C-alpha cells in the first residue's frame, strides 16, 4: 500500500531520516503511489543528500544528468 508507505516515510522524514527522505524522492521520481513530480523528487533527494546519504546523492545526480534541469536544482549543485 503506497499511500501507507508514504505516510510512514513522511513521519521519518519529519525527524530527519535521510533514508525516508530519499524514498519519498524515489516515489515522486517514478510516480509510484503519487503523481510524478520531478521538482519534488529533487527536493527530497537534496534533503537526504545534504545529510551525506550516498544513495540520495546518486539519485539526485542521475536525475539531473537525465536532463531534468527544470527540477529547480542547477546541475552544478548536483551531489
Amino acid at each position: 500500500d503506497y499511500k501507507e508507505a508514504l505516510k510512514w516515510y513522511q513521519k521519518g522524514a519529519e525527524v530527519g531520516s535521510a533514508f525516508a527522505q530519499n524514498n519519498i524522492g524515489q516515489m515522486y521520481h517514478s510516480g509510484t503511489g503519487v503523481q510524478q513530480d520531478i521538482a519534488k523528487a529533487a527536493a527530497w533527494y537534496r534533503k537526504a543528500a545534504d545529510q551525506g546519504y550516498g544513495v540520495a546523492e546518486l539519485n539526485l545526480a542521475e536525475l539531473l544528468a537525465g536532463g531534468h534541469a527544470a527540477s529547480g536544482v542547477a546541475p552544478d549543485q548536483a551531489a
Side-chain angles (χ1 to χ4, degrees):
D1 180 1
Y2 295 118
K3 195 171 197 172
E4 186 73 9
L6 180 60
K7 180 181 93 173
W8 287 105
Y9 286 144
Q10 287 173 328
K11 287 181 183 288
E14 288 171 9
V15 296
S17 168
F19 174 80
Q21 292 165 346
N22 179 71
N23 285 351
I24 293 171
Q26 289 178 322
M27 291 179 81
Y28 279 109
H29 192 174
S30 66
T32 303
V34 295
Q35 183 172 340
Q36 187 178 37
D37 187 322
I38 297 301
K40 284 184 181 179
W44 282 110
Y45 287 153
R46 168 59 64 197
K47 286 178 188 246
D50 284 348
Q51 295 183 67
Y53 191 63
V55 175
E57 292 172 350
L58 177 62
N59 287 337
L60 181 60
E62 287 178 346
L63 183 144
L64 296 173
H68 293 289
S71 64
V73 179
D76 65 339
Q77 294 177 336

